Amino acid sequence: MADPSPLNQMLGIATAHQRRRGTEPINEQDKTNTCLGDDEEGVVFYDGTCNQFNNHHCLVMGYLFSRKGGVSENWDFLWERCLLNSRKSVTRRMITFILMVVFFTAVFKFSLLITGGGDDGGKIVTTTMGNEFLFLQDVNNLAQSAVFDSQSSSGAGLQKRKMKQFPVPEIWMKPHSDNFYKCIAGRENAASDKGNVTNGYLLVHANGGLNQMRTGICDMVAIAKILKATLVLPSLDHESFWTDPSDFSDIFDWNHFVEALKNDIDIVEKLPPELALVKPLIKAPVSWSKARYYREVILPLLRKHKVIKFTHTDSRLANNKLPSAVQKLRCRANYEALRFTPEIEELGKKLVDRLSDEGEPYIALHLRYEKDMLAFTGCSHNLSDSEADELRQMRYKVRHWREKEINSKERRLQGGCPMSPREAALFLKAMGYPASTKIYIVAGEIYGRNSIDALRREYPNIYSHSTLATTQELEPLIKYQNRLAALDYIIALESDAFIYTYDGNMAKAVQGHRRFNGFKLTINPDRLSFVRLIDMFDKSLISWDDFTSEVKLLHRNRTGAPYARQAGELPRLEENFYANPYPGCICNTQRKQK
């Protein structure tokens, strides 16, 4: 039989061989097999017989052994086993003590690092004895900082905001975009190219809501450049759904707008005296036109009449196949020149700070479940009959809404309806956002009696500008929907996650701006597939676990990651330039190297 290895003796591995009754004699042949035995692989084990001799038994054995001739050879053997067991017990205690010291030392160091102690820059070092394994993990690589540059985004001079330095869950991680960068700078000699002679003056009436007017104004800046025209301060729409009387300088920083674009075009507050009495040529430019249209059709008219007034500004330039300089100018106008007034910017910063108290992340949820949008789309899912009838009447009153009779159920199954508050709650829950998540509602009043309650039951920490700001803070804005929309724009832009439940003008503007600011996490729900999953779940055709798995799988690649803007067969079907300014205003270092 092989001798017991020192490692096995130290570990004291035990197994049970055949047990003997205490009255059975131990002969010379069985003396070894009583306490020691070989398994089939030749590894030595100890059975339970010798392990029964604890410390006080060994003391008795020592006394008997001290009496010369008073003990047999068998008892002599057992005395040796007891001494061996005693040494093994001491060895075990020493090993246990060492392991406990190592464990508590590691825990102590880890707690210091988590609470800010130590000077190792946030690195966790863990050592494991025995395998001589060293694990080094840099927490700073796991902790994604939500940092907002004071010179980018909405231009409010927003100070940098950082999330807590903890490993960031996947639900808050922005998509990978390290190879992409902003590229909108104009040429150094752009000012000299502008020239001192103008071909005429361009009056524009921006139509629609805030974000539709915003992108339209950016297009007018680019068109003025194409025409070498002087742009007169744009007038805003006062007759849309909200009938907001605000003018340009009530929402945007007029002086900054002029200064930021001074090397590109001339902008004046009003027509010069010699043209003040000239009757302008009224014109609605053709939608989604290329630069050639403005040079060949509009420019001759401008030179002839000296003053042209555009009655519409929305979607008057193509999304693609425009000169690079024109595309970059559109972005300079949108992301640098169009800055909200200092009052709106300052309040927006305050509300962002309140939402992100102690560095906690928040969601900006563009819940477009509003009366005008539901009437326009014909969606009345989850609403009462009287509410659905009210929406129908409103749809018939708005003459330029072409569709009048709409089947709400069919429209929803086609993915053409904004998510209801309940659907939004199920979506967020399936995506993994905990109930404690802070949610800022980027929208006006949610339509439907108590419809918001379905979302609030799952996510009680719901905010809006009316609940987050004080009455005194909101007093200058409360009567003006476009100014409130500007406030929502800032908070949505600075959010840790922007989720839009319908692809309207604000969703397009904000998601494009977030792409420009570094491809910040922006989730675009697949409404077509999602509503069908909800219906299956409501009918108990799939379990909750299957439902969440499918939702996460559907949206794995819908988080705002970089991809080239998609062209379409018709301009109307193309991806909007302001929803995705890549290519044009965002460049890829890998393509540059090629």
Side-chain angles (χ1 to χ4, degrees):
M1 180 190 69
D3 293 334
S5 68
L7 178 60
N8 286 331
Q9 288 187 18
M10 183 178 70
L11 295 177
I13 303 172
T15 189
H17 267 258
Q18 56 181 347
R19 295 188 178 274
R20 298 180 179 272
R21 292 188 296 271
T23 57
E24 293 182 9
I26 303 177
N27 57 37
E28 189 69 16
Q29 182 179 359
D30 293 338
K31 178 176 63 175
T32 302
N33 293 333
T34 302
C35 291
L36 302 173
D38 294 335
D39 72 350
E40 293 179 356
E41 298 178 357
V43 179
V44 179
F45 293 88
Y46 298 92
D47 70 4
T49 306
C50 289
N51 289 337
Q52 294 173 1
F53 290 92
N54 53 27
N55 289 339
H56 72 272
H57 289 152
C58 288
L59 290 175
V60 174
M61 293 295 296
Y63 170 73
L64 294 174
F65 184 76
S66 64
R67 298 174 60 186
K68 302 294 184 178
V71 294
S72 67
E73 187 174 327
N74 290 328
W75 286 106
D76 185 11
F77 170 78
L78 291 179
W79 163 240
E80 292 176 356
R81 305 312 315 148
C82 283
L83 289 180
L84 178 59
N85 284 340
S86 178
R87 287 193 295 270
K88 288 193 298 179
S89 177
V90 173
T91 302
R92 290 195 196 99
R93 291 178 182 176
M94 289 179 65
I95 292 175
T96 302
F97 176 77
I98 293 172
L99 290 176
M100 289 178 66
V101 169
V102 172
F103 173 79
F104 285 110
T105 302
V107 171
F108 178 72
K109 289 184 178 180
F110 181 85
S111 63
L112 283 179
L113 291 175
I114 290 298
T115 55
D119 56 357
D120 56 355
K123 291 182 178 179
I124 299 176
V125 179
T126 305
T127 58
T128 304
M129 295 184 65
N131 293 331
E132 297 180 353
F133 173 71
L134 178 65
F135 177 70
L136 177 63
Q137 184 176 15
D138 191 343
V139 175
N140 291 332
N141 290 334
L142 294 176
Q144 176 187 356
S145 298
V147 180
F148 305 97
D149 195 313
S150 61
Q151 298 304 320
S152 63
S153 71
S154 56
L158 290 171
Q159 296 178 352
K160 291 183 177 181
R161 176 169 67 87
K162 294 185 178 181
M163 290 172 60
K164 289 182 178 180
Q165 291 297 306
F166 292 115
V168 178
E170 187 177 358
I171 56 175
W172 298 111
M173 287 184 178
K174 78 180 191 71
H176 178 74
S177 60
D178 291 348
N179 298 325
F180 296 84
Y181 63 98
K182 303 174 184 178
C183 52
I184 63 171
R187 294 186 296 111
E188 295 181 359
N189 59 347
S192 60
D193 291 346
K194 184 178 67 172
N196 297 321
V197 179
T198 180
N199 287 323
Y201 289 81
L202 189 59
L203 298 170
V204 298
H205 173 71
N207 61 297
L210 173 68
N211 295 287
Q212 186 173 329
M213 291 190 292
R214 178 189 182 111
T215 56
I217 290 170
C218 296
D219 282 355
M220 294 301 110
V221 169
I223 291 169
K225 179 72 172 180
I226 294 170
L227 298 173
K228 293 187 178 180
T230 299
L231 180 65
V232 181
L233 175 67
S235 64
L236 304 187
D237 192 341
H238 299 160
E239 299 178 357
S240 61
F241 176 77
W242 299 110
T243 62
D244 187 330
S246 299
D247 291 323
F248 186 97
S249 57
D250 295 322
I251 301 175
F252 299 105
D253 188 334
W254 157 245
N255 292 324
H256 177 77
F257 181 69
V258 174
E259 181 66 21
L261 296 171
K262 67 180 182 179
N263 291 332
D264 297 297
I265 62 171
D266 287 326
I267 306 174
V268 296
E269 191 171 359
K270 57 184 179 181
L271 289 171
E274 63 271 20
L275 296 175
L277 299 178
V278 172
K279 185 178 181 179
L281 174 67
I282 307 299
K283 188 74 174 175
V286 176
S287 299
W288 294 293
S289 295
K290 295 183 173 64
R292 181 178 178 180
Y293 164 80
Y294 289 97
R295 292 193 184 102
E296 296 182 357
V297 177
I298 302 298
L299 182 56
L301 296 174
L302 179 63
R303 286 172 173 165
K304 178 180 178 181
H305 296 275
K306 295 301 179 184
V307 181
I308 289 183
K309 181 177 180 179
F310 287 162
T311 58
H312 292 75
T313 60
D314 61 312
S315 305
R316 302 299 143 166
L317 266 181
N319 294 304
N320 302 295
K321 296 182 180 179
L322 288 173
S324 175
V326 172
Q327 299 289 56
K328 293 180 187 299
L329 179 56
R330 294 169 90 180
C331 288
R332 287 201 297 277
N334 194 21
Y335 305 132
E336 293 183 351
L338 278 180
R339 177 183 295 178
F340 297 122
T341 63
E343 295 77 16
I344 295 175
E345 294 278 2
E346 182 180 353
L347 180 56
K349 175 188 177 300
K350 285 183 180 180
L351 300 189
V352 168
D353 288 343
R354 288 173 191 170
L355 278 169
S356 56
D357 184 35
E358 297 182 357
E360 294 181 1
Y362 71 92
I363 290 175
L365 179 64
H366 188 38
L367 189 62
R368 200 67 169 90
Y369 207 71
E370 301 164 281
K371 186 176 182 180
D372 64 324
M373 181 54 65
L374 294 176
F376 173 73
T377 57
C379 299
S380 55
H381 183 68
N382 287 342
L383 297 176
S384 65
D385 292 340
S386 60
E387 290 168 341
D389 186 62
E390 183 180 13
L391 296 177
R392 188 182 306 107
Q393 292 180 27
M394 179 181 178
R395 187 163 61 252
Y396 272 92
K397 288 180 180 179
V398 181
R399 287 182 296 178
H400 62 272
W401 289 355
R402 298 179 180 179
E403 286 188 280
K404 301 301 181 182
E405 287 297 325
I406 302 174
N407 187 312
S408 176
K409 292 183 178 179
E410 289 183 2
R411 180 61 58 88
R412 176 177 172 271
L413 291 176
Q414 293 167 356
C417 288
M419 281 186 180
S420 68
R422 176 180 179 267
E423 290 169 342
L426 287 173
F427 177 80
L428 294 173
K429 191 173 181 180
M431 290 293 288
Y433 289 98
S436 59
T437 302
K438 293 181 179 180
I439 299 176
Y440 182 85
I441 302 296
V442 184
E445 183 179 357
I446 304 303
Y447 187 71
R449 187 170 179 266
N450 301 325
S451 60
I452 192 65
D453 292 349
L455 177 62
R456 199 183 300 276
R457 279 193 295 269
E458 296 291 343
Y459 294 92
N461 297 323
I462 293 180
Y463 304 90
S464 65
H465 52 246
S466 59
T467 61
L468 201 58
T470 65
T471 303
Q472 184 178 2
E473 289 171 334
L474 277 183
E475 196 276 331
L477 312 178
I478 195 64
K479 297 179 181 180
Y480 309 99
Q481 291 299 322
N482 285 331
R483 301 184 206 183
L484 291 174
L487 198 62
D488 284 349
Y489 187 98
I490 294 172
I491 299 171
L493 185 63
E494 302 299 329
S495 64
D496 300 283
F498 176 61
I499 302 175
Y500 56 97
T501 62
Y502 192 77
D503 193 23
N505 290 308
M506 185 170 196
K508 290 184 176 71
V510 172
Q511 68 175 297
H513 206 154
R514 288 171 68 86
R515 282 190 167 103
F516 183 76
N517 281 356
F519 294 93
K520 301 167 72 173
L521 178 60
T522 303
I523 300 177
N524 172 22
D526 181 353
R527 296 189 305 276
L528 177 63
S529 302
F530 180 69
V531 295
R532 298 183 182 187
L533 282 174
I534 284 184
D535 292 345
M536 292 175 65
F537 175 70
D538 287 342
K539 296 175 183 177
S540 300
L541 298 178
I542 56 173
S543 66
W544 173 253
D545 288 342
D546 290 339
F547 175 76
T548 58
S549 297
E550 289 295 327
V551 171
K552 290 176 181 177
L553 183 63
L554 273 174
H555 298 89
R556 182 175 54 187
N557 297 319
R558 301 176 71 95
T559 58
Y563 67 86
R565 187 173 56 258
Q566 299 171 355
E569 294 181 2
L570 298 174
R572 185 185 297 273
L573 303 178
E574 288 182 333
E575 186 174 17
N576 186 273
F577 173 79
Y578 295 103
N580 184 6
Y582 170 65
C585 303
I586 301 172
C587 296
N588 188 342
T589 56
Q590 291 183 341
R591 288 192 175 185
K592 187 175 181 180
Q593 291 172 358
K594 293 179 182 179

